[in-house]
C-alpha cells in the first residue's frame, strides 16, 4: 500500500513538481488520460510485440489460461479466475503488476493516490488550484499499486469502501458530508491500481451489491453520503468454481458485470507439474552436503498429487493443491538430510521411502469423502504413496524381467531396512539378492554412482516391487515374499484381487 515511505521522491525525468512533470515531453497525454486498464493494455501490447514472456514462473498455462487472460486484458475486462486451490491463481494476479508502468506520479500524502494532473479528491483539487506548478509530486512504484483482499463473510462496506471518521470531522470542524472526514476503505486506496478479491463468493450479499454498483456506475458512493469518487481501478477476482456456480452464493448481476470468467487447472502432465515443484520447493540448501534428488523421487512426489486428484476417497470439489508436492518434496529432502548427517554421508540422496516421512505435508492437503474418513487420512496418504511408486516404477520397468529378485524372496529371503539405514548398510544387506543391483542400475544410475545414489535406487526397486505386489513388506520395512499364493499370473488379475488400493497404471486418471 502506498504509504508515504513507499512513495518515491523522483520518477521519469526526475520531475519533483507539477510544473516539471508538465514539461516532460509527451508525459501529460500518457498519464492524465490513460486508465489503469488502458495502461495494462498498452504495456501488454508492447510485451507481445517484443515477444517477452508473459507471467514468468507460471507453468503449464501457456496454451490455456494465459491466452484467455491476455484477451481479457486487451478487452479491458475485469475478470475472475475460477479454479481449485493451489492452481497459481494468486500468482497470476500478482503477475499483472509487471504489466503496470514502473512508476506513476501522485499527489504526495493523498490516500487515493490522486493523479496531480487530474485529482479526484477535493483536498488535492484545492492544492492544485493554490499551488499550481509548484505542487510537489511523488512517485508510486507499481508494487504499491496492487491491493489484495481475502473475502470473508465479516468483511464490511466500511472495510471495502470506507467510512466517515467522526474524530477527523470533530477536529476539523467539518461537515460530515465532506470527503476530508472520510476514512477510505481498501477499494479507494487501490485507486489507479489493481484490486484483487480472493474467494469472491464469501463476500456478504450487500458487499457484492456494492461491488456491482462500482462495476455498473464506475464510481463509488460511500455510506450513503453524497461523496462520489470516479475511481480508476482494475478489479480481478478468484473463486472456487463450485462456490461460484452455487445458487445464492453470488449475486447474478455482479456475475453479469465481470467481463471474463477464466478457468484454471492443475498441471496436465507430470513434467509440467515437476517443473512447478522444482521451482517452488526449497531444495537448494546451504550446507556442507550436496543434495542430489533422483528423478524417480521427483516423479513419485508429483504422482502422489495426481493420484490424490483422481482418488474417489478424496473430495474433488476442494481439490488437491500443487502445494502438496511442493511441501512434500521439502520434507523428503529434509528426511534424507537427517539420515545423511547421522550416517556421516557427504551426499544427500533422497529415497522413495522418504516420501512416507512426508506424511505431515500430505494429510492436511486434501479433504476426505466419507469413505476416506473411514480409512483415515494417514492410511489414505500411505495408499497414495504406494500407488504413486507403483505408477512411476511400472512406467520405468515395463517389460523388464524382475523375476530373479522376486524369486529370491519367494524362496524365503527377507530383508529388514529402516528409514535410518545408511547407504552402506542398504548396499551390504541387499548384496545377496540376485539381480537387484542390475535392476537398480536401470533407474539411470551413472557409472561410478555414489553409495547414497545406489542405495536410493535399490530402495526404489524394492518399493516398486512391493507396490506391484510382487513382494510384500510390513510397515516397519521388512520385505519378504508376496503373501498371496498362488501368485497371480498377470497384473490385471492382481488389480482385481484388491480393490482397496487402486492399482498403479500408466494411464493418467487425473483429469477432473
Ligand atoms: Zn487526493
Amino acid at each position: 500500500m502506498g504509504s508515504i515511505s513507499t512513495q518515491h521522491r523522483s520518477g521519469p525525468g526526475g520531475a519533483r513538481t507539477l510544473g516539471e512533470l508538465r514539461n516532460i515531453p509527451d508525459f501529460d497525454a500518457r498519464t492524465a488520460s490513460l486508465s489503469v486498464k488502458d495502461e495494462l493494455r498498452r504495456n501488454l501490447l508492447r510485451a507481445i510485440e517484443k515477444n517477452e514472456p508473459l507471467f514468468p514462473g507460471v507453468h503449464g498455462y501457456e496454451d490455456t489460461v494465459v491466452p484467455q487472460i491476455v484477451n481479457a486484458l486487451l478487452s479491458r475486462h475485469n475478470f475472475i479466475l475460477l479454479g481449485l486451490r493451489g492452481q497459481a491463481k494468486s500468482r497470476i494476479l500478482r503477475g499483472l503488476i509487471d504489466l503496470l508502468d514502473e512508476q506513476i506520479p501522485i499527489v504526495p500524502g493523498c490516500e487515493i493516490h490522486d493523479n496531480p494532473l487530474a485529482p479526484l479528491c477535493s483536498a488535492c483539487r484545492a492544492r492544485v488550484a493554490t499551488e499550481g506548478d509548484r505542487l510537489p509530486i511523488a512517485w508510486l512504484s507499481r508494487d504499491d499499486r496492487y491491493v489484495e483482499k481475502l473475502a470473508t463473510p465479516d468483511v464490511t462496506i466500511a472495510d471495502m469502501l470506507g467510512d466517515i471518521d467522526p474524530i477527523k470531522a470533530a477536529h476539523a470542524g467539518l461537515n460530515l458530508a465532506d470527503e476530508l472526514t472520510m476514512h477510505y476503505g481498501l477499494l479507494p486506496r487501490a485507486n489507479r491500481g489493481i484490486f484483487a478479491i480472493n474467494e469472491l463468493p464469501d463476500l456478504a450479499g450487500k458487499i457484492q451489491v456494492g461491488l456491482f454498483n462500482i462495476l455498473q456506475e464506475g464510481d463509488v458512493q460511500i455510506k450513503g453520503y453524497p461523496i462520489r469518487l470516479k475511481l480508476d481501478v482494475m478489479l480481478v477476482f478468484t473463486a472456487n468454481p463450485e462456490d461460484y456456480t452455487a445458487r445464492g452464493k453470488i449475486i447474478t448481476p455482479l456475475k453479469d458485470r465481470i467481463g471474463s470468467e477464466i478457468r484454471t487447472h492443475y498441471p496436465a502432465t507430470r513434467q509440467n507439474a515437476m517443473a512447478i515443484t522444482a521451482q517452488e520447493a526449497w531444495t537448494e540448501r546451504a550446507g556442507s552436503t550436496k543434495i542430489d534428488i533422483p528423478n524417480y523421487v521427483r516423479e513419485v512426489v508429483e504422482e502422489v498429487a495426481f493420484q490424490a486428484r483422481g482418488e474417489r476417497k478424496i473430495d474433488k470439489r476442494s481439490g488437491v493443491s500443487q502445494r502438496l508436492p511442493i511441501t512434500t518434496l521439502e520434507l523428503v529432502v529434509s528426511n534424507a538430510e537427517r539420515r545423511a548427517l547421522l550416517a556421516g554421508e557427504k551426499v544427500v540422496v533422497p529415497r522413495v521411502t522418504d516420501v512416507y516421512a512426508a506424511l505431515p505435508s500430505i494429510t492436511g492437503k486434501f479433504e476426505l469423502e466419507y469413505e476416506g474418513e473411514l480409512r483415515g487420512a494417514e492410511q489414505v496418504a500411505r495408499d497414495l504413496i504406494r500407488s504413486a511408486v507403483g505408477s512411476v516404477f511400472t512406467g520405468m520397468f515395463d517389460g523388464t524381467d524382475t523375476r530373479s529378485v522376486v524369486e529370491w524372496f519367494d524362496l524365503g529371503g527377507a530383508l529388514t531396512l529402516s528409514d535410518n539405514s545408511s547407504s552402506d548398510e542398504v548396499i551390504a544387506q541387499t548384496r545377496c539378492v540376485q539381480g537387484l543391483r542390475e535392476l537398480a542400475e536401470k533407474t539411470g544410475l551413472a557409472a561410478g554412482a555414489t553409495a547414497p545414489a545406489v542405495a536410493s535406487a535399490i530402495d526404489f526397486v524394492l518399493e516398486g516391487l512391493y507396490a506391484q505386489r510382487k513382494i510384500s513388506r510390513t510397515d516397519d520395512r521388512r520385505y519378504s515374499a508376496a503373501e498371496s499364493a498362488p501368485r497371480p499370473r498377470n497384473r490385471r488379475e492382481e488389480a482385481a484381487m484388491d480393490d482397496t488400493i487402486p492399482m498403479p497404471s500408466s494411464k493418467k486418471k487425473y483429469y477432473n
Side-chain angles (χ1 to χ4, degrees), residues 10 43 63 74 175 197 245 281 310 326 331 362 373 406 456 486 503:
S10 69
N43 294 342
D63 302 322
L74 293 181
N175 185 327
I197 302 177
T245 48
I326 293 167
L331 284 189
I362 300 176
E373 299 281 7
V406 175
S456 171
M503 252 323 274

Side-chain angles (χ1 to χ4, degrees), residues 406-428:
V406 175
E407 272 163 15
W408 185 85
F409 288 100
D410 283 348
L411 291 171
L415 290 170
T416 303
L417 297 171
S418 100
D419 211 27
N420 292 331
S421 298
S422 71
S423 304
D424 290 338
E425 277 167 45
V426 171
I427 294 168

Side-chain angles (χ1 to χ4, degrees), residues 107-115 119-125 127 179 184 191:
V107 177
C110 174
E111 288 180 305
I112 61 169
H113 304 138
D114 256 326
N115 182 348
L120 289 180
C121 80
S122 58
C124 289
R125 287 201 308 268
R127 284 190 71 183
E179 69 210 46
Y184 290 114
N191 186 38

Side-chain angles (χ1 to χ4, degrees), residues 135-438:
L135 175 78
I137 60 166
W139 292 87
L140 187 67
S141 77
R142 58 187 173 195
D143 289 328
D144 298 319
R145 295 170 65 197
Y146 181 80
V147 178
E148 202 174 30
K149 175 73 185 162
L150 175 65
T152 51
D154 60 345
V155 171
T156 63
I157 291 269
D159 296 333
M160 279 297 203
L161 304 183
D163 210 345
I164 299 293
D165 186 337
I167 297 167
K168 245 188 193 175
H171 275 285
L174 293 163
N175 185 327
L176 275 182
D178 192 304
E179 69 210 46
L180 292 175
T181 64
M182 290 301 310
H183 171 76
Y184 290 114
L186 289 166
L187 186 75
R189 287 168 187 273
N191 186 38
R192 304 179 73 204
I194 298 166
F195 188 34
I197 302 177
N198 288 316
E199 305 304 337
L200 179 63
D202 288 347
L203 276 188
K206 59 180 178 183
I207 318 287
Q208 292 186 28
V209 171
L211 281 175
F212 161 68
N213 287 334
I214 292 154
L215 294 175
Q216 167 85 356
E217 317 278 340
D219 67 2
V220 53
Q221 187 173 2
I222 294 166
K223 234 194 168 182
Y225 288 92
I227 301 159
R228 308 199 79 150
L229 291 170
K230 263 259 164 291
L231 295 179
D232 173 21
V233 182
M234 163 93 186
L235 284 169
V236 287
F237 311 96
T238 69
N240 181 303
E242 191 93 353
D243 295 341
Y244 193 67
T245 48
R247 189 192 289 265
K249 284 211 84 173
I250 190 117
I251 62 164
T252 313
L254 176 60
K255 230 174 170 177
D256 195 40
R257 286 279 153 185
I258 297 175
S260 288
E261 208 176 280
I262 298 166
R263 289 259 177 176
T264 57
H265 54 81
Y266 287 121
T269 66
R270 208 191 271 161
Q271 289 306 317
N272 268 335
M274 284 163 71
I276 297 169
T277 300
Q279 169 184 289
E280 302 294 325
W282 182 59
T283 57
E284 315 262 316
R285 305 176 178 186
S288 55
T289 47
K290 180 176 169 289
I291 297 168
D292 183 9
I293 309 170
N295 212 48
Y296 51 81
V297 170
R298 291 182 187 275
E299 288 195 56
V300 166
V301 166
E302 218 54 66
E303 188 59 25
V304 170
F306 279 120
Q307 297 279 338
R309 286 170 196 147
E311 171 54 59
R312 64 192 150 91
K313 296 188 194 75
I314 291 173
D315 178 15
K316 295 207 173 25
R317 286 155 302 185
S318 49
V320 177
S321 167
Q322 191 60 27
R323 282 181 281 274
L324 183 151
I326 293 167
T327 50
T328 298
L329 188 63
E330 289 170 346
L331 284 189
V332 163
V333 169
S334 297
N335 200 53
E337 224 177 356
R338 189 175 56 81
R339 177 181 55 241
L341 213 56
L342 287 172
E345 292 171 1
K346 291 282 165 270
V347 188
V348 176
V349 182
R351 300 174 189 166
V352 159
T353 43
D354 290 325
V355 183
Y356 288 94
L359 284 180
S361 68
I362 300 176
T363 50
K365 302 288 190 303
F366 48 69
E367 309 294 329
L368 292 170
E369 297 283 8
Y370 178 66
E371 204 188 333
E373 299 281 7
L374 292 180
R375 194 154 174 83
E378 195 165 317
Q379 198 50 51
V380 168
R382 287 180 180 280
D383 295 347
L384 290 172
I385 297 169
R386 181 176 177 182
S387 183
V389 173
S391 174
V392 174
F393 184 77
T394 303
M396 190 181 269
F397 284 84
D398 205 20
T400 306
D401 188 353
T402 57
R403 271 178 303 181
S404 82
V405 174
V406 175
E407 272 163 15
W408 185 85
F409 288 100
D410 283 348
L411 291 171
L415 290 170
T416 303
L417 297 171
S418 100
D419 211 27
N420 292 331
S421 298
S422 71
S423 304
D424 290 338
E425 277 167 45
V426 171
I427 294 168
Q429 275 211 60
T430 56
R431 189 161 287 140
C432 50
V433 186
Q434 274 172 30
L436 181 55
R437 178 66 186 250
E438 287 71 18

